[in-house]
Amino acid sequence: MNEISEQLHGKGRYATRTRERVAQVLREERRYLTAHAIHEMLVARGISISLSTVYRTLELLVGLGVAATRGEENGEISYVFCTVQHHHHAVCRTCGRVEEVGCGPLARFARDLRAGQGFELEDHAIELYGRCSDCAKR
Amino acid sequence: MNEISEQLHGKGRYATRTRERVAQVLREERRYLTAHAIHEMLVARGISISLSTVYRTLELLVGLGVAATRGEENGEISYVFCTVQHHHHAVCRTCGRVEEVGCGPLARFARDLRAGQGFELEDHAIELYGRCSDCAKR
DNA sequence: AATAATTTGACGACGAATCGCAAATTCATG
DNA sequence: CATGAATTTGCGATTCGTCGTCAAATTATT
Ligand SMILES: [Zn+2]
Ligand SMILES: [Zn+2]
Ligand SMILES: [Zn+2]
Ligand SMILES: [Zn+2]
């Protein structure tokens, strides 16, 4: 019984094979995927699952804090595996891999912002794009 | 003839009353609005315009670099008035006002990131949330 | 195995966004 | 200002992502 199963069990939800499979895709891929893409990947593996269930499971995982969403420019919603603590995502433009990074230097940024235009920073959303260590070598 | 009209004229597009009205809403509001919201605001002013035209005009303004988009979590797309040069948005959580801010401190952030996990930063997307100077006083 | 609670899949509803085409508007030209 | 070509607009239909309903299936418990 893994971490997600324990969280589900603690909240009176069932830890089903179906849910574990959706979570497994996110754990393996580590990049932003739409519900549709996840569904297709599971079907390609010979697993029978409905698109509705994929949506519901993703919503559940986001609620548990183990998945994060991002609104794409075309209106689609993408999901990615995620840890609970506050962090940001560095997205590789070559392979799509998502790495988590902290946000230490933002403290100084917030101070400058308040001094400059009186804006009191409460929160921030950052996405970083570039090349992951593997792809940068090639 | 304003700045947007000139840009349109230079690209063989017509500077129409309709387009100017959509741009005017963005200029006045300075916050993220959906195409639907913009359409309703224009209709409320007694202006007859189709939702299709609002969508097409917004797409055009984004292409001109005077509007920016953001994918919302529910799949909608929001638009905001924007200058061409690189910058980020500080969004007031009380009134929704969007202010533009630079990203000077990010240079150090990029250096630390490369040293820490080998990620080569090429670009970034940042959204800041908090209270604008007006709302912070109350 | 029996039971109760939860989840799943199939289907349809809903809304955002887009497309095609005829009518209207814009703009250059005379 | 009148004319005509080019572009834009509005309308309706269409596509597509997402979510709701409900009976059937699955899960956990005894
Ligand atoms: Zn994350
Ligand atoms: Zn990579
Ligand atoms: Zn404010
Ligand atoms: Zn920047």
Side-chain angles (χ1 to χ4, degrees), chain B residues 1-2 34 43 45 67 78 81 87 92 96 100 117 120 137:
Chain B
M1 208 184 217
N2 62 41
T34 63
V43 170
R45 297 181 186 183
S78 291
F81 189 82
H87 63 270
C92 176
E100 302 189 344
Q117 45 193 305
E120 286 196 8
K137 291 171 189 163

Side-chain angles (χ1 to χ4, degrees), chain B:
Chain B
M1 208 184 217
N2 62 41
E3 190 183 335
I4 292 176
S5 297
E6 287 171 14
Q7 283 194 61
L8 288 170
H9 192 262
K11 296 188 177 181
R13 321 296 300 270
Y14 291 172
T16 69
R17 206 171 303 136
T18 309
R19 286 174 174 165
E20 180 50 43
R21 281 166 170 163
V22 173
Q24 185 59 21
V25 169
L26 290 182
R27 256 195 301 267
E28 288 174 9
E29 294 294 329
R30 301 271 170 171
R31 57 199 174 91
Y32 281 97
L33 296 169
T34 63
H36 190 260
I38 293 168
H39 180 250
E40 282 200 336
M41 294 175 74
L42 287 170
V43 170
R45 297 181 186 183
I47 294 171
S48 173
I49 184 174
S50 78
L51 184 56
S52 297
T53 299
V54 173
Y55 272 109
R56 283 186 290 232
T57 302
L58 288 170
E59 186 179 355
L60 184 64
L61 294 176
V62 171
L64 292 178
V66 296
T69 64
R70 181 177 70 174
E72 304 293 337
E73 295 205 354
N74 63 2
E76 282 182 296
I77 299 173
S78 291
Y79 300 81
V80 71
F81 189 82
C82 213
T83 57
V84 177
Q85 77 235 23
H86 178 87
H87 63 270
H88 302 287
H89 291 157
V91 184
C92 176
R93 277 188 165 149
T94 300
C95 71
R97 190 170 85 188
V98 171
E99 300 179 43
E100 302 189 344
V101 300
C103 54
L106 262 292
R108 192 162 75 93
F109 194 95
R111 200 171 56 238
D112 293 350
L113 189 61
R114 178 157 20 194
Q117 45 193 305
F119 193 93
E120 286 196 8
L121 190 59
E122 291 177 348
D123 199 359
H124 53 265
I126 302 181
E127 291 247 312
L128 305 168
Y129 305 96
R131 302 287 184 95
C132 73
S133 54
D134 287 354
C135 292
K137 291 171 189 163
R138 293 167 199 154

Side-chain angles (χ1 to χ4, degrees), chain A residues 85-132:
Chain A
Q85 78 237 21
H86 176 85
H87 62 271
H88 301 287
H89 292 158
V91 184
C92 177
R93 278 187 165 150
T94 300
C95 72
R97 189 169 86 187
V98 170
E99 299 180 41
E100 303 190 341
V101 300
C103 52
L106 262 293
R108 191 163 75 95
F109 196 95
R111 200 171 56 239
D112 294 348
L113 189 61
R114 178 156 23 197
Q117 44 192 305
F119 192 94
E120 286 195 7
L121 189 60
E122 291 178 346
D123 200 359
H124 54 265
I126 301 182
E127 293 247 311
L128 305 168
Y129 304 96
R131 301 285 185 95
C132 73

Side-chain angles (χ1 to χ4, degrees), chain A residues 9 14-15 17 52 55-56 77:
Chain A
H9 192 262
Y14 290 174
R17 208 170 303 137
S52 297
Y55 272 109
R56 282 185 293 232
I77 299 173

